[in-house]
Amino acid sequence: MNKTVKQIDASLGSLHRLGKVLGTVFIILMGATAALAVGIIVATVYQMAHGASFTSFGEIERGASFGIYIVPSILWFLIVFGVEGAIFGICHDMARGLSPFTQRHARRITLIAGLFVLNAVMGLVWHGSISIHLGPFLLFYLPNPVTIALGGPNGPALDLGSLLMALVCFSIAAMWRYAAQLQTETDDLV
């Protein structure tokens, strides 16, 4: 029994350290995403001041050097922040020594799945990308990388990558709920 207790304590210690490391990684990613969003806003305002124009499909473009779809860009950044924030929340709780198997974490994983579904739905309507040339730098973001074009290049696109990730996340959330229930029952027995 003593050996089992030591193994559980070692496992909890590893989980605690992993939560700290991943929490740090995801807070850095959230900061980088925020900086990127601000950079894109600044670049868009700059381009608007220097002759960029709106197209009929809600894109701001200035020749071949600048093009950005406004609504999808906002939604894509919200999706990225949502995913990073949900994972950061799970890691932060783990770093504080809390069990990762909670109903709240299962809801966060379900949120991630829902955000992937939203990304797939957006791919049906907006299958463009964000591309900005800033001097020697090129920012190119393709939010729906695994797609099947339906009806040609201008038709809707089915984002298989996002749908697959949504299914994976929904499955993990269901397993997480079961683990959370087992955790609750085990805690009640002790």
Side-chain angles (χ1 to χ4, degrees), residues 54-60 68-72 126:
F54 281 100
T55 66
S56 61
F57 199 59
E59 180 184 15
I60 296 175
I68 186 168
Y69 291 93
I70 298 299
V71 174
W126 292 289

Side-chain angles (χ1 to χ4, degrees), residues 112-157:
I112 293 169
L115 291 171
F116 276 116
V117 170
L118 177 60
N119 193 52
V121 169
M122 284 182 1
L124 290 171
V125 180
W126 292 289
H127 45 276
S129 60
I130 301 169
S131 61
I132 301 172
H133 295 265
L134 298 171
F137 301 104
L138 169 67
L139 168 68
F140 186 78
Y141 174 62
L142 183 62
N144 306 103
V146 184
T147 58
I148 294 178
L150 307 172
N154 293 327

Side-chain angles (χ1 to χ4, degrees), residues 57-134:
F57 199 59
E59 180 184 15
I60 296 175
E61 69 178 14
R62 183 173 170 213
S65 65
F66 183 84
I68 186 168
Y69 291 93
I70 298 299
V71 174
S73 297
I74 292 169
L75 290 175
W76 289 323
F77 275 111
L78 290 175
I79 288 169
V80 171
F81 279 127
V83 169
E84 290 170 348
I87 296 173
F88 170 75
I90 292 169
C91 294
H92 181 67
D93 284 351
M94 288 169 32
R96 294 184 315 169
L98 301 176
S99 172
F101 299 112
T102 65
Q103 294 297 333
R104 184 174 67 181
H105 292 172
R107 284 190 299 273
R108 286 177 174 166
I109 295 168
T110 302
L111 169 71
I112 293 169
L115 291 171
F116 276 116
V117 170
L118 177 60
N119 193 52
V121 169
M122 284 182 1
L124 290 171
V125 180
W126 292 289
H127 45 276
S129 60
I130 301 169
S131 61
I132 301 172
H133 295 265
L134 298 171

Side-chain angles (χ1 to χ4, degrees), residues 6-24 87-102 105 176 179 183:
K6 287 180 182 180
Q7 288 174 337
I8 290 172
D9 285 342
S11 178
L12 287 175
S14 295
L15 192 64
H16 178 72
R17 287 187 299 279
L18 179 65
K20 283 183 178 181
V21 170
L22 289 178
T24 302
I87 296 173
F88 170 75
I90 292 169
C91 294
H92 181 67
D93 284 351
M94 288 169 32
R96 294 184 315 169
L98 301 176
S99 172
F101 299 112
T102 65
H105 292 172
W176 214 272
Q183 179 76 47

